[in-house]
Every structure is written in structure tokens, then in C-alpha cells.
Amino acid sequence: MQYQELGDSGVEVSEVGFGAWVVGTDWWGDRSEDDALEMLRYAVEQGITYFDTGDVYGHGRSEELVGEALSEVRDEVTIATKVGYDFYNNPQAGHGELPKEMDPEYLRDAVEQSLDRLGVDSVDVLQLHNADVDEITPDVLELLDELEEEGLIDATGLALGPSIGWLAEGDLAIEEEFDSVQLVWNVLEQEVGNHFLETIEETGSSTSLIPRVPHSSGILNEQVTPDTELGEGDHRGFRPDEWYETGWEKLEQLRFLERDGERTMGQASIAWLLSHDSVATVTPTFRTKGDIDEWAAASDVPKLSAEEMSRVEELYENDFDIDRDDGMDSLRSSVDGADIESAGLDKLAAD
């Protein structure tokens, strides 16, 4: 496992992190809490030190389990959480979005409650959860500075949702030099990640990018195949059939990334993201110990060559020569798609 600094924060993260949205919820398949605790501890044994949770996951239960699992190795790991959804006063209705609350007073209280659930005095990375661009006000920025000065957080981040906040939000966070911006980004969904790479280059910002959904909801790690039947409640089932059908065709054109067995496709998908200098860590969705074994090793497989990177870019620019709708052309963002349209993008990635 290799390790990198998150922005200029001094906070170290493993290149492969653990997305704890699978802990404390059943949105990615059912598992017992004992299984979740075992997986978290097993990840540490495999060199993973970055753990990314959020207060809304399981309405606080994910944070409690992460805190319990990592209590004995707290000084060896980096814990990130997210705040901004008011689950305290609103019941969860399926997979729907809860009301957000970005008032500084609410956020401070939410941070303190997160610290209690995690069982820690401070959190390494605090992320605003899907904040709209007009919600990231000077007062909110001042609060983040205060929390750092008080030693309650060490780094700041913005976690972006695919249909709730996107380009304008990420650009603002980069311009304000947040330490991290988390986004959906993978070989099959590149537009937004490429846009932020350009923003970082143009501004000279030190912001690190944290891609999630590196396997595009199971296509690139081949856990969703034409024979797969997704169970009721599995979060991957939201994607249209056309997405998977075109994705499987694209997958076959990416087989060269396996390099005659030197990488699995699941590893290559992570290695491709890590080949971008601004990417500090990638957070795949682990479901089993086998996933952890395979994907944690992605930090150490052969890096992609310039030729391989160029070939992926060419395939994507030509939409893999597939002239068929993938079912995900709708534009949604916090500014009604205007930021996406102005950036010349015609699709919106989703998790």
C-alpha cells in the first residue's frame, strides 16, 4: 500500500480507502454488524488507513461501527465523516434524499454529535455532504476555519452528489482550497473528474480529489454481469438497463488494461484513477474480504503507461464507438444543469 497527503493538510491517506457507506446500511446488500466490524478491522490489516463515513449513513450507525472497529488503532488511521443532512428531524424514506441543513450552528452541533458517535476527540477530515454552491457561504467557510483552529478537525472536504451538487460546487471548493473534493469518477464516467483536473491546473490549487464508485456500480469489477440479478434494495439497481448493456460492451474494449494478468480489471480501474496526480485516495465499495484483498493491492500493481492512458482517453472521447443511448443523459445539478452545459458536458455521472 502506498500513502499520500490530502491537499496541504498534513493528513495522510492510503491510496485505497474504505467507503463506509456500506456499514450501518443495507443499500449495498445486507450484512450483519459483526461482519461489518470484521471487514473494517481486516482492511486495516491490509494496509488501508483511510476510512470515509458520514453521519447520515444508517442515521449515525455507520459512524458508531467505524468508531468501535477502529478504536484500538485510532492513531494509525485517518477517519473522515460528512455532515449536512438533517436526519435528526426527518425520517428516511427509502433511498430518497433527506432535507439538507447547512446553517453553521446546525453544522457545529452535527460535528459534535459525530465525534461522540465515533468516540474521538477530533476527526481527521470533515466533509460537507452534497452542499449546493449557494449553501457554501462565508459563514460556513468561517465555521470550518474555526473547527480547525479549535482542533476538532484537521482537514476540510466537500463530498459531491451526482444529482444534488456537482461542477459549480467542486469548482468553488477547489478555488477555496478545500483539502479534498470527493466525486463519482471512473473509466466509464470521466467528464466531471476531467473537469476538476482542469480547474486544479488553472487555479494551482492543492485540493486532492477522492474518487468513489471506481468500478461504475459493478461493471468494471465484473460483479454485475448479464447474469446478475440485483436484490431489492441494492443501490446499484437504480441504473437503467441500457447503462449496463452498453457498459459491458465497453468493458471488453478495456481488457488491455489487465496487461496479460498483471492486473485484474478491478485493480486496473483503481490504478487508472491513481495515475492522475491530483488523486490522493480511491474509495471502492467493499462487500467481502476478497474485495479488500484484491483492491487494496491496486496501489502496488504496475502503474498505467502513457500509452495505456492515451488509449483509454481515445476510447472515451469516441464513446467506445457505441452509437446508442445509455439511459443516463439527463442533466441534473444544483444550478439546473447550466454549469454542466457550459462546461460542454452531455452526461452526468451517478453513483
Side-chain angles (χ1 to χ4, degrees):
M1 181 66 69
Q2 307 300 312
Y3 302 87
Q4 296 196 37
E5 180 183 4
L6 202 64
D8 281 337
S9 66
V11 173
E12 183 183 82
V13 295
S14 52
E15 286 193 335
V16 179
F18 192 116
W21 37 82
V22 302
V23 176
T25 74
D26 60 0
W27 286 19
W28 289 264
D30 197 15
R31 65 184 49 75
S32 72
E33 292 190 348
D34 285 342
D35 289 340
L37 292 169
E38 187 176 356
M39 284 185 62
L40 287 162
R41 291 166 179 150
Y42 186 75
V44 176
E45 295 173 9
Q46 307 314 307
I48 292 174
T49 60
Y50 178 69
F51 294 84
D52 188 315
T53 186
D55 66 355
V56 75
Y57 302 146
H59 287 200
R61 189 56 182 152
S62 176
E63 289 180 324
E64 291 172 346
L65 292 171
V66 167
E68 180 181 347
L70 304 180
S71 60
E72 295 185 3
V73 292
R74 176 65 186 100
D75 294 339
E76 304 170 26
V77 298
T78 296
I79 297 176
T81 196
K82 311 177 189 74
V83 294
Y85 279 110
D86 184 9
F87 62 90
Y88 298 101
N89 300 302
N90 299 279
Q92 184 72 50
H95 291 189
E97 184 190 6
L98 289 170
K100 284 183 292 180
E101 178 56 78
M102 296 292 169
D103 177 78
E105 184 176 347
Y106 170 85
L107 292 174
R108 175 178 284 278
D109 182 63
V111 169
E112 292 173 352
Q113 294 197 58
S114 286
L115 295 177
D116 286 342
R117 285 190 292 268
L118 288 164
V120 298
D121 295 324
S122 65
V123 69
D124 301 295
V125 187
L126 177 70
Q127 301 165 93
L128 299 179
H129 203 169
N130 294 344
D132 292 332
V133 65
D134 57 0
E135 293 173 327
I136 308 174
T137 63
D139 287 344
V140 169
L141 296 175
E142 182 178 355
L143 170 69
L144 295 176
D145 288 339
E146 290 174 359
L147 293 173
E148 280 199 65
E149 291 170 2
E150 295 168 19
L152 296 180
I153 67 174
D154 293 322
T156 59
L158 177 63
L160 297 174
S163 60
I164 305 151
W166 208 244
L167 292 187
E169 288 74 11
D171 283 346
L172 175 60
I174 291 168
E175 291 162 5
E176 292 289 342
E177 296 216 61
F178 278 45
D179 297 301
S180 67
V181 168
Q182 182 187 132
L183 68 155
V184 174
W185 187 13
N186 57 65
V187 176
L188 302 183
E189 299 169 283
Q190 296 185 31
E191 290 104 324
V192 176
N194 292 342
H195 176 85
F196 289 151
L197 290 176
E198 293 177 2
T199 303
I200 289 172
E201 183 176 359
E202 291 169 0
T203 61
S205 174
S206 62
T207 301
S208 291
L209 299 178
I210 302 178
R212 69 178 190 277
V213 199
H215 297 127
S216 197
S217 296
I219 291 178
L220 294 170
N221 58 355
E222 301 183 79
Q223 289 188 351
V224 178
T225 71
D227 296 325
T228 302
E229 292 186 14
L230 296 175
E232 184 177 355
D234 190 313
H235 197 59
R236 296 170 294 180
F238 85 94
R239 289 195 189 258
D241 292 342
E242 296 89 344
W243 169 261
Y244 286 107
E245 291 164 1
T246 56
W248 293 322
E249 293 181 39
K250 295 171 184 178
L251 172 66
E252 294 309 313
Q253 297 184 58
L254 292 166
R255 290 291 182 191
F256 68 92
L257 292 177
E258 294 174 307
R259 200 186 283 187
D260 295 326
E262 292 187 54
R263 320 179 187 101
T264 66
M265 186 59 69
Q267 291 171 336
S269 302
I270 294 172
W272 177 79
L273 288 164
L274 290 170
S275 295
H276 299 86
D277 290 341
S278 294
V279 173
T281 181
V282 180
T283 54
T285 301
F286 298 116
R287 290 179 173 81
T288 67
K289 287 184 178 179
D291 291 344
I292 296 173
D293 288 334
E294 178 184 350
W295 303 338
S299 178
D300 296 315
V301 300
K303 302 300 182 185
L304 269 67
S305 66
E307 181 181 356
E308 288 171 322
M309 294 293 288
S310 178
R311 190 171 172 186
V312 170
E313 180 180 358
E314 182 178 355
L315 283 169
Y316 192 79
E317 286 179 350
N318 294 307
D319 202 19
F320 296 80
D321 291 322
I322 297 175
D323 186 18
R324 193 166 74 256
D325 182 18
D326 65 8
M328 294 183 68
D329 283 337
S330 61
L331 298 179
R332 292 179 61 209
S333 84
S334 62
V335 287
D336 300 322
D339 55 340
I340 296 170
E341 188 174 0
S342 67
L345 309 184
D346 61 0
K347 294 179 183 176
L348 179 62
D351 76 358

